[in-house]
Every structure is written in C-alpha cells, then in structure tokens.
Amino acid sequence: MVDILHRVGVVAPLDDVYTAVATPEGIAAWWTTDTVGKSEVGETLALRFGEAGGFDLEVRELDPAGHVRWRVVEGPAEWIGTDIDWRLDRRGDYTIVLFGHEGWREPVEFMHHCSTKWATFLLSLKDYAETGRGRPAPDDVKISDWH
Amino acid sequence: MVDILHRVGVVAPLDDVYTAVATPEGIAAWWTTDTVGKSEVGETLALRFGEAGGFDLEVRELDPAGHVRWRVVEGPAEWIGTDIDWRLDRRGDYTIVLFGHEGWREPVEFMHHCSTKWATFLLSLKDYAETGRGRPAPDDVKISDWH
C-alpha cells in the first residue's frame, strides 16, 4: 500500500477551507465544476471530468473541526477502494491542509501522475479559499499527455 | 520507507529536459538559482535557498538516454540518505518525466510539504524546458508557512 501525501497552507479561516472541501459547491470551485451529490456521512458525491470520466466518493467522515474522509467507490480501477483524507489545522495566519490519498495497491505510473495532479488541485483549493477563484476542471492546470 | 512520486509531460526534446536536470546551469533555471558543483558521477552538487539552507547531492547516475539519480548527502535530517531519481522517456510530442524522491524513513508532515513543493518545481522544470523560463528559488511558488 502506498499513499500520495501533500501539504499546503491557506491564508483563510478553517471554516472556509472546510466548506470548500466538505460541500459539492465548494468542490466545484476548485476540483471539477461537474460535482453533484449530498455531503453527508454514508452519502455519495459524483465528480465528472467530461469524456475523461470521473469518481464517486462515499463520504466517511465530516468533522467541521477539521477532518473529511472519502472512500472511492467508482472510477478508475486504481482508485477504487482508496481513501482520500483531509485534515485541517490552524497555525498562525494559515489553515494547514494535510492531505492523503491512501491505499494505492501499487506505485504505478498513473499514481505518479495523480500525485502531481493533486498538487495542482490543492493549489487551486488554496487560490479559491484565498481569492474566491480556483481552477477546477475543465479549466484545470494541464501537466502532461494525460492532462 | 516511503516515496514521493510525480509525473509530468514536457513538450520539448528529451535532450533538453535531460540537460535541465543533469547540469548545474539547468538546475539553476528551475530549482534554485544558487546551484554549484560538478555534474559527474561521484561528484557533488550544492543547492542553496538563502537562509533556509539547502542540499548537497551526490551524483549516482547520469545517462543521457534518460536517467539521473542523486543521493542526498547533506541537508535536512529527513533528506539525508534519500535518493532522488529521474527517468525520461519520449512519448508522442512529450518527454515524460517520472520522478521519485525515495527512501523517506517516515511519512512526516515535512514529507507532505516536500511532495507538494516538488510538484511546483517539476512544473517549473516543464515551463523552463518549454518556454525558457522557470520559477527557481528565490522566485519559487510559495505554498504555505513553510514556503
């Protein structure tokens, strides 16, 4: 089992970052505009990226104090069964985001790609929470032939 | 042991990307302007980031066909003894960069930070190889209180 790990610091209140991660409206502003579903524990969020497909995420944890966790239940084979974990913490002027995409079975090339791509989405989340403007798909940062 | 993994695709010849990774002049254009040393197997590159310190990298592998590998011999405690590995491959219009910062002892918070920061430097490398202009330190992308 291998994990993708990231950390960014967002100059915004923890509540704002939490709302950006924990609600479909928030996610649509930094990950993909095509995000629907109900953000309650046990419910599912559906994210789509046009022809590239997308993911269904089952909500496992929602704690406004600073913890969100999803299980990937539909999407690319490598993603199914993995968990995406968010921990938020205040430090000085920053809300620190500790991110993990956990439980990949193998460190395949697609995992390398997703690691870099996650970084661009975390910076999109940071921009959105700080300035009101992120770069969700289809306007996301393109990093390679795999987009 | 845990690894940081990334993948970007650069619209530039493999030779250009190799030179950007394998020479002090190249590294200075996307990672830190303060890069000195001799890029030969067994020699050391010294990278500095002002008051934040820096790294000494022993060159372990230099293959213009597409492989560069360094051992970190000086720097933050968590980095010492880790390896940084670059594999380049042509695919269509792209030079694909498969990157690994391998052999972290623990997935500490600083590793999360470095993972995100590496993504920004890989995109800086991509920009440099494609446009002639990267974002090396001290003009690097700031991602948090840890810069």
Side-chain angles (χ1 to χ4, degrees), chain A residues 4 13 15 18 27 32 38 58 60 65 72 80 93 98-99 107-110 125-126 131 134 145:
Chain A
I4 293 170
D15 284 355
Y18 178 79
I27 295 167
T32 177
K38 203 168 179 179
E58 185 187 306
R60 291 289 180 105
V72 181
I80 294 176
D93 295 332
L98 269 191
F99 170 90
V108 291
E109 189 168 347
F110 183 52
L125 165 65
K126 173 175 163 67
T131 71
D145 54 334

Side-chain angles (χ1 to χ4, degrees), chain B residues 54-55 72-82 101 103-105 108 110:
Chain B
F55 319 109
V72 181
V73 294
E74 197 52 71
E78 297 91 337
W79 278 53
I80 294 177
T82 61
H101 185 173
W104 288 71
R105 284 173 289 278
V108 291
F110 183 52

Side-chain angles (χ1 to χ4, degrees), chain A residues 108-129:
Chain A
V108 291
E109 189 168 347
F110 183 52
M111 181 180 166
H112 290 66
H113 165 78
C114 292
S115 175
T116 314
K117 196 76 193 185
W118 268 122
T120 69
F121 283 123
L122 284 162
L123 293 172
S124 171
L125 165 65
K126 173 175 163 67
D127 286 345
Y128 168 60

Side-chain angles (χ1 to χ4, degrees), chain B residues 24-25 27-28 32-39 44-48 55-57:
Chain B
E25 298 75 20
I27 295 168
T32 177
T33 56
D34 188 357
T35 300
V36 298
K38 203 169 180 178
S39 191
T44 301
L45 297 165
L47 288 77
R48 296 293 178 269
F55 319 109
D56 288 355
L57 309 175

Side-chain angles (χ1 to χ4, degrees), chain B residues 60-84:
Chain B
R60 291 288 179 106
E61 176 93 31
L62 276 181
D63 177 358
H67 190 203
V68 174
R69 192 173 178 88
W70 303 315
R71 165 70 48 90
V72 181
V73 294
E74 197 52 71
E78 297 91 337
W79 278 53
I80 294 177
T82 61
D83 285 342
I84 298 170

